[in-house]
């Protein structure tokens, strides 16, 4: 039964009040700032001169006794922005704009004007803008004028000031503009606004689980919820599709990866045997060489691992030297690229990587698309799976039974010390996607921009896509019915952004804003004015790239995650290799200055708190590895677990606070944190039946694992599904390295079907719905009807029950063949505290001497681990 409109408005106003109350205190001016800050740093005048000619000035070859100012802005320890430094200038004009998403409990924005020096930068002056100047709520008169808003909704507010630094006229002035835009004005469209690549329609998208999906999972039927004939999900097979796509390419193949292993077999088992007479090799490297010999342009970009050389394969085992040697002297154009440009030291060059994994090539048009004759189109692959050692797997995730057959020569283990002959191998769970349609032009552009920047000697090897008749989006459209949007993490040190896009950026003309300014008189200011409006009708973005120290940055992967979490109405499902961020909200105050400030964890937490306030069902499911790759007791792995634990703990405690506050006087006070958010991992066990292990155990790990016969299934995925409506798949983990824009390079594609959208009352029931259920059916070995609505408590309870039952089997004394692999994460929240899960011996991860809670590393810098 529909709720009357006036009652809906009353409820929304009441929820606004309750939600605001969650994050305020009568003893503190701090309040929640949730939305987007648009900040323009305009100029400074008459700054003090902190430089003095002397030894330091002589070393830096300075010729003038003038400071080199730049500006930063902070919310407590969280840095919002940093402008470029301007040398030898007391009256610098910056004119730099920043769009900063925020989800912070803060007292305000602290501006700092600094002088860049060789040894230590000095503070030239500060100004503090209280958060109260940016928070204005809709009142009854506003609500009467605009029926789309209710009392308590936040307004869009802007302030433009010229202030005296430190409140002293002889310290100079700072001119700035700050605009706060609340969440409700930002999340009305599926398209992520203000980003480099726009949404494109008319695509065909395929969604893959693992490098091979053998069709053995329980059957998933879907579609009947929307009154359609039931359909059965048919899982595509990634490496099979990549192999045949490469074979069919006639003009070009572009491939970018963190790692390529030229010896990898793209086909296995009976399929490999059946291709014995094929003219094309099933091995990646030989296949690319064969295509290049046919005249196909083959360009390959691989991360150049700094620790590798001709005599040492490198600490990360990416096979870059192997690829370099294999393709030398062939028609394949291979280039090996460091992540950072020349200005970063060797330490950061070794720490950060080119992590993008995608391919784009020409392909025959699919048979289900109407076309005439022998037409071609563009085909792209994008996701978390490198074509390299240890990645080929299916849902069976064998440990010992395929050592001499399907996985012979491809045994991989970075979690224990084992030999390829003895095992167990490290099972691998991962996610990928493919696409045909206009968005492939953006994939092509992403490859080209990196190639131009870091392979300038080989620009002539790029194909002219227009000459192939594939350069126009309209000609690539098909009837697949998918809308997609590409996003990245990358900056101008390693990427040549389109000059035409850069030139389209506008500097916001503050005087031309279509708002009603009001002048204000303040102490220690030359001028001050402000506006506030309940309407978003004039909201626009002046630029589609961020900037830092004058560098251009595409951090749209971070923005896409934030955007779609804010739009969520029913549930969110995440798979990620790492999960850490939002250090500004960590419970351990001593760690809040850690530079791991991506906002995914904070946005998830706020979304759950909003649903608790509204008393609406909502569930977040997060699948992670049991521990990150590496020997679990080693310093680096323990450091990673420590930062991840801080993130998880903060989320649990904030959700518990919301429950305590909102449910104490409610009949719903029996609800608990695990009704809203749960973390999981995967694991398997295998009996000795059919084992292909050979030789005697030689390491302590082998001696132990041959008895317990278990191993985590390593979750390497990078995926988020929201309301079964939209799916984000790419190479970015939930950590600062992936989402920063200036650390690892990443790429991601967001996809949805306009014919299958969620509503306030229901999740979507299209292919993403089926795909998510297929994943769950695969990892639980059942297709339960409760999986059809993940937002309901009954579904949450079922998933937790399956995981707990599997955990008992996993840690039990009896070895069995596990076909259901879902496990609870090895940490649990109980009595308001995060602790090792019950059942772990002395709080150690299974089969290890490693603390499940992790330990802070005093060897590896936090920037490298987060």
């Amino acid at each position: 039964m529909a709720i009357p409109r006036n009652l809906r408005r009353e409820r929304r106003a009441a929820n606004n009040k309750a939600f605001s109350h969650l994050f305020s205190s009568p003893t503190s001016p701090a309040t929640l700032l949730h939305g987007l800050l648009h900040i323009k740093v305009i100029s400074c005048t008459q700054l003090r001169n902190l430089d003095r000619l002397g030894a330091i000035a002589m070393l830096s070859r300075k010729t003038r006794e003038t400071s080199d100012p730049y500006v930063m802005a902070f919310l407590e320890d969280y840095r919002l922005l940093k402008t470029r430094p301007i040398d030898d200038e007391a009256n610098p004009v910056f004119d730099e704009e920043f769009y900063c998403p925020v989800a912070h409990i803060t007292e305000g924005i602290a501006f700092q004007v600094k002088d860049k020096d060789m040894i230590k930068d000095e503070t030239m002056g500060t100004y503090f803008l209280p958060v109260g100047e940016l928070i204005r709520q809709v009142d009854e008169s506003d609500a009467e004028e605009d029926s789309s808003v209710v009392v308590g909704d936040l307004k869009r507010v802007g302030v433009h000031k010229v202030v005296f630094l430190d409140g002293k006229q002889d310290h100079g002035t700072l001119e700035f503009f700050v605009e706060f835009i609340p969440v409700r004005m930002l999340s009305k469209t599926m398209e992520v606004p203000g980003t480099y690549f726009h949404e494109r329609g008319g695509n065909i998208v395929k969604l893959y689980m693992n490098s091979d999906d053998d069709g053995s999972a329980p059957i998933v039927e879907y579609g009947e919820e929307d009154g359609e004939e039931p359909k059965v999900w048919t899982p595509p097979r990634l490496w099979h599709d990549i192999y045949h796509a490469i074979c069919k390419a006639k003009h070009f193949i572009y491939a970018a990866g963190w790692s390529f292993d030229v010896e990898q077999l793209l086909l296995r088992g009976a399929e490999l045997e059946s291709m014995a007479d094929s003219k094309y090799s099933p091995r990646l490297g030989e296949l690319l060489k064969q295509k290049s010999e046919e005249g196909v342009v083959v360009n390959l970009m691989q991360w150049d691992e700094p620790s590798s050389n001709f005599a040492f394969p490198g600490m990360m085992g990416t096979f870059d030297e192997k690829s370099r040697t294999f393709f030398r002297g062939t028609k394949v154009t291979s280039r090996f690229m460091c992540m950072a440009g020349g200005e970063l030291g060797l330490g950061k060059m070794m720490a950060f990587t080119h992590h993008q994994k995608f391919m784009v090539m020409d392909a025959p048009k699919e048979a289900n698309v109407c076309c005439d004759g022998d037409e071609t189109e563009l085909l792209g692959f994008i996701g978390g799976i490198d074509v390299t050692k240890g990645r080929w797997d299916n849902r069976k995730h064998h440990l010992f039974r395929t050592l001499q057959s399907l996985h012979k020569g491809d045994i991989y283990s970075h979690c224990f010390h084992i030999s390829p002959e003895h095992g167990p191998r490290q099972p691998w769970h991962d996610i990928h996607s493919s696409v045909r349609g206009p968005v492939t032009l953006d994939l092509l552009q992403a490859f080209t921009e990196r190639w131009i920047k870091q392979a300038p000697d080989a620009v002539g090897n790029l194909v002219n896509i227009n000459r192939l008749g594939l350069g126009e989006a309209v000609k690539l459209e098909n009837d697949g019915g998918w809308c997609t949007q590409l996003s990245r993490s990358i900056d101008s040190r390693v990427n040549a952004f389109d000059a035409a896009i850069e030139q389209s950026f506008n500097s916001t003309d503050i005087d031309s804003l279509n708002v009603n300014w009001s002048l204000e008189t303040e102490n220690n200011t030359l001028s001050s004015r402000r506006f506030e409006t309940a309407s978003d009708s004039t909201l626009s973005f002046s630029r589609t790239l961020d900037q830092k120290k004058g560098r251009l940055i595409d951090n749209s992967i971070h923005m896409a995650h934030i955007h779609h979490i804010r739009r969520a109405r029913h549930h969110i499902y995440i798979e990620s290799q790492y999960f850490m961020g939002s250090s500004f909200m960590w419970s351990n105050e001593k760690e809040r200055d850690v530079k791991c400030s991506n906002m995914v964890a904070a946005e998830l937490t706020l979304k759950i708190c909003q649903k608790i306030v509204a008393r609406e069902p909502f569930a977040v499911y997060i699948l992670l590895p049991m521990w990150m790759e590496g020997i679990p007791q080693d310093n680096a792995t323990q450091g990673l677990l420590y930062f991840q634990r801080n993130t998880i703990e903060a989320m649990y405690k904030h959700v518990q606070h919301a429950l305590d506050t909102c449910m104490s006087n409610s009949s719903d006070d029996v609800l608990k944190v695990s009704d809203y958010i749960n973390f999981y991992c995967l694991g398997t066990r295998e009996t000795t039946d059919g084992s292909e292990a050979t030789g005697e155990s030689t390491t302590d790990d082998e001696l132990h694992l041959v008895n317990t016969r278990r191993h985590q299934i390593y979750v390497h995925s990078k995926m988020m599904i929201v309301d079964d409506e939209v799916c984000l798949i790419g190479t970015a983990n939930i950590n600062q390295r992936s989402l920063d824009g200036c650390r690892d390079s990443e790429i991601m594609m967001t996809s949805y079907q306009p014919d299958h959208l969620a509503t306030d009352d229901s999740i979507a029931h299209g292919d993403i719905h089926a795909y998510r259920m297929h994943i769950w059916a695969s990892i639980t070995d059942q297709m339960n009807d409760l999986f059809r609505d993940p937002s309901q408590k009954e579904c949450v309870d079922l998933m937790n029950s399956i995981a707990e039952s599997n955990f008992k089997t996993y840690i039990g004394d009896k070895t069995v063949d596990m076909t259901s692999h879902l496990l609870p994460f090895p940490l649990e929240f109980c009595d308001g505290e995060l602790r090792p899960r019950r059942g772990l011996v002395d709080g150690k991860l299974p089969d290890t001497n490693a603390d499940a809670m992790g330990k802070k590393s005093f060897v590896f810098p936090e920037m490298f681990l987060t």
Side-chain angles (χ1 to χ4, degrees), residues 797-847:
D797 290 344
L798 174 64
M799 289 288 279
N800 289 342
S801 175
I802 293 170
E804 287 293 345
S805 176
N806 289 342
F807 185 62
K808 292 176 182 178
T809 302
Y810 188 79
I811 65 173
D813 294 332
K814 183 180 180 181
T815 301
V816 299
D817 286 323
M818 290 182 65
T819 57
S820 179
H821 302 301
L822 184 70
L823 302 175
F825 197 67
L827 304 180
E828 63 181 352
F829 189 69
C830 188
D831 297 327
E833 297 297 330
L834 192 66
R835 66 187 187 189
R837 182 165 294 279
R838 285 164 290 186
L840 296 179
V841 179
D842 298 326
K844 306 294 184 182
L845 294 165
D847 303 312

Side-chain angles (χ1 to χ4, degrees), residues 268-541:
R268 309 279 172 117
E271 190 172 40
L272 175 62
E273 295 175 7
S274 70
M275 299 296 291
D277 297 328
S278 171
K279 72 173 183 177
Y280 291 121
S281 171
R283 295 191 183 274
L284 175 67
E286 191 60 38
L287 176 60
L288 293 177
K289 283 171 60 176
Q290 288 175 317
K291 295 304 293 186
S292 70
E293 290 292 337
E294 291 179 357
V296 176
V297 174
V298 180
N299 291 335
L300 180 142
M301 291 192 297
Q302 184 170 345
W303 177 47
D304 189 0
E305 186 187 343
S307 68
S308 66
N309 54 52
F310 69 93
F312 177 63
M315 294 183 292
M316 303 300 292
T318 61
F319 304 108
D320 56 330
E321 294 301 324
K322 185 177 178 181
S323 297
R324 196 191 310 266
T325 301
F326 184 86
F327 290 120
R328 185 178 293 126
T330 73
K331 294 183 178 180
V332 173
T333 305
S334 56
R335 291 295 182 269
F336 302 87
M337 304 174 182
C338 288
M339 174 51 203
E343 70 179 79
L344 289 186
L346 180 61
K348 290 185 178 180
M349 288 179 66
M350 293 183 68
F352 302 137
T353 77
H354 275 306
H355 201 236
Q356 294 180 341
K357 318 167 205 299
F358 68 100
M359 296 181 179
V360 61
M361 63 199 75
D362 68 282
K365 280 203 170 183
E366 283 208 322
N368 64 339
V369 180
C370 296
C371 60
D372 297 322
D374 206 16
E375 290 192 35
T376 60
E377 61 183 343
L378 298 179
L379 168 63
F381 294 89
I382 178 172
I385 305 179
D386 287 288
V387 186
T388 193
K389 190 171 186 178
R391 273 46 169 186
W392 191 93
D393 211 347
N394 54 39
R395 67 176 292 268
K396 294 184 176 70
H397 300 299
H398 287 306
L399 302 179
F400 300 94
R401 290 177 182 152
T402 55
L403 297 181
Q404 305 302 322
S405 52
L406 289 175
H407 286 101
K408 187 173 183 179
D410 190 26
I411 309 303
Y412 176 93
S413 178
H414 278 201
C415 294
F416 295 101
H417 296 294
I418 65 99
S419 67
E421 297 78 19
H422 194 275
R425 61 175 290 271
Q426 179 180 316
W428 200 269
H429 173 85
D430 219 329
I431 297 294
H432 219 82
S433 64
S434 71
V435 62
R436 297 169 184 263
V439 81
T440 53
L441 291 174
D442 296 335
L443 270 178
L444 195 67
Q445 182 175 344
F447 186 96
T448 301
E449 288 181 356
R450 272 187 59 190
W451 189 269
I452 289 172
K453 184 71 173 185
Q454 291 197 282
D457 63 308
V459 170
N461 291 72
L462 295 170
V463 299
N464 186 325
I465 203 72
N466 292 312
R467 290 180 182 174
L468 299 178
L470 299 173
E472 296 182 34
V474 66
K475 292 184 178 180
L476 297 176
E477 289 183 359
N478 54 57
D479 59 4
W482 288 79
C483 290
T484 57
Q485 186 174 11
L486 203 66
S487 53
R488 291 179 298 185
S489 294
I490 202 162
D491 70 30
S492 54
R493 290 171 298 178
V494 293
N495 194 80
F497 292 110
D498 187 340
I501 294 179
E502 288 185 49
Q503 291 167 5
S504 71
F505 297 164
N506 300 312
S507 177
T508 299
D509 185 349
I510 300 171
D511 293 323
S512 298
L513 290 176
N514 187 21
V515 294
N516 295 318
W517 289 100
S518 61
L519 298 177
E520 298 188 336
T521 302
E522 297 180 20
N523 293 329
N524 302 315
T525 65
L526 276 176
S527 65
S528 177
R529 56 178 175 167
R530 63 179 296 110
F531 73 81
E532 56 185 73
T533 176
S535 170
D536 62 351
S537 60
T538 60
L539 182 61
S540 64
F541 291 81

Side-chain angles (χ1 to χ4, degrees), residues 531-580:
F531 73 81
E532 56 185 73
T533 176
S535 170
D536 62 351
S537 60
T538 60
L539 182 61
S540 64
F541 291 81
S542 64
R543 58 187 301 116
T544 58
L545 290 172
D546 199 2
Q547 50 188 337
K548 176 183 178 183
K549 302 179 186 178
R551 294 195 303 264
L552 294 174
I553 303 167
D554 187 346
N555 60 0
S556 51
I557 293 179
H558 187 216
M559 301 299 289
H561 278 86
I562 292 170
H563 179 76
H564 288 290
I565 292 171
R566 289 174 172 178
R567 294 190 72 259
R569 286 178 272 190
H570 303 287
H571 81 276
I572 295 173
Y573 175 54
I574 290 174
E575 295 189 7
S576 183
Q577 184 184 5
Y578 302 92
F579 190 84
M580 55 189 81

